């Protein structure tokens, strides 16, 4: 009897993490193609090129919004996914600067008509560098620096790139 208990306990110790992780991943049944579960949320990573403003609209058409990476952990998971894809594309997410007069900007996540203040800043060196005369009020994962965050103009066609929607 004791040996059966010991075997059961050993199996749980060996495979418990796998079972818990699998149950957690299966808990996001609302992620439907083309969305997929990354961490605790549903994302669609599009390689279609668009400006940040167009990407915002394209996500809305899918019943989603440009990704709001509200924790550094969430941002790191997405960054890792992008690095693994090896596309060389930049990808827009849903952060916006709502006040160019504040040094460094006043960055917010835009989601379903609400704005939430960013709790972390993970911009690259000398970023954000937009100004009142050269506005750069949108955010992208910048592929040339291993997907560090950069601020960019929201509507300039030269900055067309991929985008990430979230549900």
């Amino acid at each position: 009897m004791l040996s059966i208990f010991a075997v059961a306990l050993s199996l749980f110790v060996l495979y418990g993490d796998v079972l818990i992780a699998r149950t957690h991943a299966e808990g996001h049944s609302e992620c439907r193609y083309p969305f997929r579960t990354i961490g605790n949320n549903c994302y669609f990573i599009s390689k279609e090129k668009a400006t940040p403003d167009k990407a915002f609209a394209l996500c809305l058409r899918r019943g989603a919004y440009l990704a709001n990476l509200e924790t550094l952990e969430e941002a790191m998971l997405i960054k890792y996914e992008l690095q693994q894809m090896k596309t060389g594309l930049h990808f827009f997410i849903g952060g916006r600067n709502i006040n160019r007069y504040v040094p460094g900007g006043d960055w917010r996540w835009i989601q379903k008509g609400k704005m939430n203040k960013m709790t972390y800043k993970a911009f690259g060196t000398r970023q954000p560098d937009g100004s009142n005369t050269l506005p750069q009020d949108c955010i992208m994962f910048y592929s040339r620096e291993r997907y560090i965050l950069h601020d960019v103009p929201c509507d300039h066609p030269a900055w067309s790139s991929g985008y990430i929607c979230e549900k």
Side-chain angles (χ1 to χ4, degrees):
M1 178 82 160
L2 185 59
S3 64
I4 292 174
F5 176 74
V7 169
L9 181 61
S10 297
L11 287 173
F12 180 75
V13 169
L14 289 173
Y15 299 105
D17 288 343
V18 173
L19 293 172
I20 291 167
R22 189 176 203 192
T23 303
H24 182 70
E26 291 168 357
H28 245 298
S29 60
E30 71 269 10
C31 288
R32 295 201 173 130
Y33 183 83
F35 287 82
R36 63 189 173 110
T37 302
I38 301 173
N40 295 326
N41 299 312
C42 298
Y43 297 98
F44 168 58
I45 301 174
S46 176
K47 297 176 197 168
E48 176 185 357
K49 289 191 172 187
T51 65
D53 284 346
K54 182 179 177 185
F56 188 90
L58 292 171
C59 287
L60 287 176
R61 286 185 181 169
R62 293 183 175 277
Y65 48 89
L66 274 175
N68 284 209
L69 308 178
E70 297 178 76
T71 66
L72 185 57
E73 291 83 3
E74 190 177 7
M76 295 306 290
L77 279 172
I78 296 296
K79 178 180 176 178
Y80 174 78
E81 290 292 324
L82 297 177
Q83 288 172 339
Q84 296 308 302
M85 290 171 60
K86 298 180 179 160
T87 63
L89 288 174
H90 313 304
F91 288 89
F92 299 114
I93 56 176
R96 296 274 175 139
N97 178 15
I98 63 166
N99 189 347
R100 293 181 202 134
Y101 295 101
V102 174
D106 183 5
W107 292 90
R108 308 288 174 117
W109 296 113
I110 310 298
Q111 178 187 88
K112 299 178 184 176
K114 296 180 182 175
M115 294 188 295
N116 298 314
K117 192 163 186 72
M118 290 186 175
T119 58
Y120 69 93
K121 303 262 177 32
F123 288 99
T125 306
R126 294 183 295 283
Q127 293 287 319
D129 63 353
S131 66
N132 198 34
T133 54
L134 295 168
Q136 295 184 36
D137 298 330
C138 288
I139 297 178
M140 69 164 32
F141 278 104
Y142 189 64
S143 66
R144 292 185 193 137
E145 289 183 19
R146 299 196 39 78
Y147 294 100
I148 199 79
L149 297 179
H150 274 239
D151 62 333
V152 293
C154 295
D155 61 355
H156 197 286
W159 284 103
S160 290
S161 207
Y163 58 93
I164 305 169
C165 300
E166 180 179 4
K167 277 192 177 187

